[in-house]
Amino acid sequence: MKKTSNLTIAQKEDLLIEWNIYNAKQQEPILAEFHKHHKEDYIQDDFLQFLRHKLEIDGYWKKIGIS
C-alpha cells in the first residue's frame, strides 16, 4: 500500500511551478536520479517529495507561509 503525501495543495502547486522553470536538459539528470530509486511503482507524490528534498524548498515555503 502506498503512503499518502503530507504536502499541501499549495506546496504541490509550488513544486510543479518550480519544476516547470527547468528546461528539459536541466530536468533530465533530476529525472534520472529519481528513477534510480523509483523504477516503476511510484505515484506523483513520490516525485513531488523527491523534488521537495532535491530543490531544498522547505526554507522558502516557511518564508512565504506555505509550510
Side-chain angles (χ1 to χ4, degrees):
M1 188 165 134
K2 290 303 253 172
K3 61 185 183 296
T4 57
S5 174
N6 60 349
L7 294 170
T8 67
I9 292 171
Q11 289 169 328
K12 288 178 184 183
E13 289 173 353
D14 189 58
L15 278 169
L16 293 173
I17 289 167
E18 293 295 324
W19 178 241
N20 285 314
I21 290 172
Y22 289 79
N23 65 41
K25 198 170 199 166
Q26 293 169 310
Q27 289 178 348
E28 197 172 294
I30 296 169
L31 286 169
E33 183 180 343
F34 173 76
H35 286 296
K36 281 184 186 178
H37 304 288
H38 297 86
K39 298 294 182 193
E40 293 177 14
D41 185 28
Y42 64 88
I43 58 174
Q44 182 187 43
D45 284 345
D46 294 329
F47 181 64
L48 294 177
Q49 285 291 351
F50 172 81
L51 273 184
R52 176 185 189 173
H53 296 291
K54 185 73 178 170
L55 301 179
E56 299 176 351
I57 201 163
D58 286 328
Y60 171 72
W61 285 346
K62 286 181 183 174
K63 190 179 197 179
I64 65 168
I66 64 170
S67 62

